[in-house]
Amino acid sequence: MTDATPDPYATPLAFGQRMQILRQRRGISRVVLAGLVDMSPSWVKRVENGQLQTPSLDMILRIAEALRIRDLSDLTGRTTSMRVDLFTGPGHPRLAAVRDAVNRFPVAADRQSPPAEHIRARLGHAWSARHSAPNHREVVGSLLPDLIEDAQLAVRQAESAPERRAAQAALSEVYSLSQFFLAYQPEPALLWRVAERGIVAAQDSEDPHTIGVAAWLTAQAHRDSGPAHFDAADAVTTSTLRHLEPLLPDASDDVRAITGALQFEAGYTAARRGDAGVAWRYWDLAERTAQALPGGYFHPVTSFSRAVMSAHAVTVAVELRSGTESVRQAARAEAAVIPSRPRRARHRIEQARGYQLDGQPEAALATLDQAYEAAPETIRYNGYARRIVLEETEAAAPERRRRACQLAEKIGLLTD
């Protein structure tokens, strides 16, 4: 006899047993899971106990989304016929080079680091390329290895305290850029290593904007790890806001913008919890912060701006599982005014989630096509988009099924 938790990947566990084990590992109660998939707690219990048959594909996908299951076979147990990655996209061809640059530990410096101004200029170019290129991961992945090495070297060779703080700020921003590249790739440990290094470098820089950006990304990493980590996400967000808010009267636009981005992140996590009041209260706070920024301002890392707040409203409504409100917010939000291609594509994906919630699968697929046009590499790595497309590949309507299959082929959804 043993009290150890069974391995959900071992046979012959039934679907319900796998669901229960994965739910418990995520720290989600039956009540919470039931709310996320719009069913009753008793339904969840009966599925887990084997009293109900394995649900339909669309429900399996909803469960996978709620549990943030990265590989559908972890839930279904089917490893031989078809393997489907949901919340992990394919490993990018540039991933190995970025991983090597992060993992490298150079002890001796055999050359002089580039000037800080040079590293800053390259960072600016990299952020601009990320926002403007449809293949943004390819562009950023090609720039990161040299940027990581040079920024690390600049910290080690700094000769004064101010120089070292400035170099740490640049290094933290390089790690922030790395997190965008690594997100949703099959290297979670590497992503966390980069996030932790970014936070440490930001703290050493003592620069408010750098600290805010590193906290913004770390809060997202915690939240994307599942409900058991929501408190950690909130702790990072609220502590950073307490640090930044007293500085706002004399702060730069960038500091005010990262404060607004963090305010929205607090609302985003609340929406994931299903707390509508807190979610919309933080959205209102972020909206006021955005309206106080110049009309054409656009934060180079987070995309925070006046224009993006309507897109954020769609996200809140979707996370609160309100199809009607999601569609209403989607109708108000104009993606064309968002200058960043990946952020515009992400907004289209959120709109598609809203249409799906509202029972408009044709509109959802059409909107995902628009997301693909804006930035193919965004939809290719987005778990929500992949779930919708996969579900629609088995739609009863032939035209929907054909359109979904075409999109699934373009984004490389199914792998043998």
Side-chain angles (χ1 to χ4, degrees):
M1 292 290 291
T2 177
D3 293 329
T5 301
D7 183 351
Y9 311 120
T11 55
L13 289 181
F15 175 88
Q17 293 174 296
R18 289 173 177 272
M19 185 173 97
Q20 180 176 6
I21 293 165
L22 293 165
R23 173 181 62 75
Q24 291 171 339
R25 287 187 177 182
R26 282 295 190 190
I28 301 177
S29 69
R30 283 174 175 159
V31 173
V32 170
L33 178 59
L36 290 173
V37 299
D38 297 324
M39 300 298 286
S40 68
S42 63
W43 180 88
V44 173
K45 182 178 180 179
R46 285 187 293 157
V47 171
E48 292 182 346
N49 291 343
Q51 295 173 307
L52 294 178
Q53 293 182 342
T54 300
S56 61
L57 177 62
D58 63 331
M59 179 54 70
I60 291 174
L61 291 168
R62 287 162 68 182
I63 294 167
E65 178 182 333
L67 297 178
R68 301 293 290 178
I69 292 169
R70 296 184 179 277
D71 186 340
L72 199 59
S73 65
D74 294 350
L75 183 59
T76 64
R78 297 177 181 176
T79 58
T80 57
S81 60
M82 181 179 76
R83 180 176 179 272
V84 182
D85 291 322
L86 287 176
F87 285 88
T88 299
H92 194 278
R94 300 279 184 181
L95 177 59
V98 173
R99 182 199 307 117
D100 290 345
V102 172
N103 289 339
R104 196 175 298 125
F105 186 67
V107 177
D110 55 1
R111 62 182 177 86
Q112 182 65 36
S113 70
E117 297 80 5
H118 187 260
I119 294 175
R120 277 286 170 198
R122 287 159 61 193
L123 262 173
H125 168 70
W127 285 119
S128 177
R130 181 187 178 272
H131 289 303
S132 61
N135 60 333
H136 50 90
R137 285 182 190 264
E138 170 64 24
V139 174
V140 169
S142 69
L143 298 173
L144 273 174
D146 289 343
L147 263 174
I148 293 169
E149 182 179 350
D150 288 347
Q152 290 174 335
L153 195 60
V155 170
R156 292 168 55 211
Q157 295 181 354
E159 297 180 351
S160 67
E163 283 182 1
R164 184 174 179 81
R165 286 195 295 270
Q168 290 281 26
L171 177 59
S172 179
E173 191 169 327
V174 170
Y175 285 137
S176 294
L177 182 66
S178 301
Q179 284 178 258
F180 278 97
F181 174 80
L182 293 170
Y184 308 118
Q185 294 205 55
E187 286 275 5
L190 184 63
L191 176 67
W192 274 108
R193 190 150 62 250
V194 167
E196 290 166 356
R197 290 184 187 180
I199 279 284
V200 171
Q203 291 171 330
D204 288 345
S205 78
E206 300 180 10
D207 177 68
H209 177 254
T210 304
I211 291 170
V213 170
W216 181 78
L217 283 162
T218 301
Q220 290 188 6
H222 280 299
R223 187 179 59 238
D224 286 345
S225 297
H229 301 266
F230 286 175
D231 287 347
D234 280 338
V236 172
T237 304
T238 55
S239 64
T240 309
L241 284 172
R242 283 197 299 269
H243 174 69
L244 294 178
E245 285 170 347
L247 308 176
L248 293 182
D250 301 315
S252 66
D253 287 341
D254 283 349
V255 171
R256 290 190 291 150
I258 193 60
T259 301
L262 284 162
Q263 289 164 341
F264 171 71
E265 287 305 311
Y268 193 166
T269 305
R272 280 274 182 94
R273 279 196 173 97
D275 193 334
V278 173
W280 286 115
R281 178 168 61 81
Y282 272 111
W283 183 90
D284 287 338
L285 192 59
E287 167 72 0
R288 289 196 293 272
T289 302
Q291 290 303 320
L293 293 168
Y297 176 86
F298 184 81
H299 190 263
V301 178
T302 68
S303 300
F304 190 81
S305 58
R306 294 184 187 181
V308 86
M309 287 309 301
S310 58
H312 283 335
V314 176
T315 297
V316 170
V318 168
E319 293 296 344
L320 291 171
R321 314 295 296 176
S322 173
T324 301
E325 180 64 15
S326 300
V327 170
R328 188 179 77 84
Q329 294 292 349
R332 297 175 56 191
E334 180 48 61
V337 302
I338 301 175
S340 168
R341 276 182 173 266
R343 187 61 188 85
R344 196 156 66 240
R346 170 66 188 276
H347 173 51
R348 291 301 191 196
I349 292 167
E350 296 295 277
Q351 287 181 311
R353 292 177 68 196
Y355 289 129
Q356 186 82 352
L357 277 172
D358 198 48
Q360 300 184 48
E362 295 89 350
L365 283 174
T367 309
L368 289 178
D369 278 330
Q370 293 176 320
Y372 184 86
E373 291 171 8
E377 287 192 342
T378 293
I379 186 172
R380 190 169 289 133
Y381 288 82
N382 186 280
Y384 298 116
R386 294 160 74 86
R387 190 267 296 170
I388 294 171
V389 173
L390 181 60
E391 182 176 327
E392 291 303 313
T393 59
E394 295 201 0
E399 178 57 27
R400 267 170 48 204
R401 190 167 62 248
R402 180 192 63 80
R403 190 170 191 172
C405 288
Q406 288 176 340
L407 189 52
E409 184 177 357
K410 286 195 291 186
I411 66 177
L413 178 59
L414 304 182
T415 57
D416 294 329

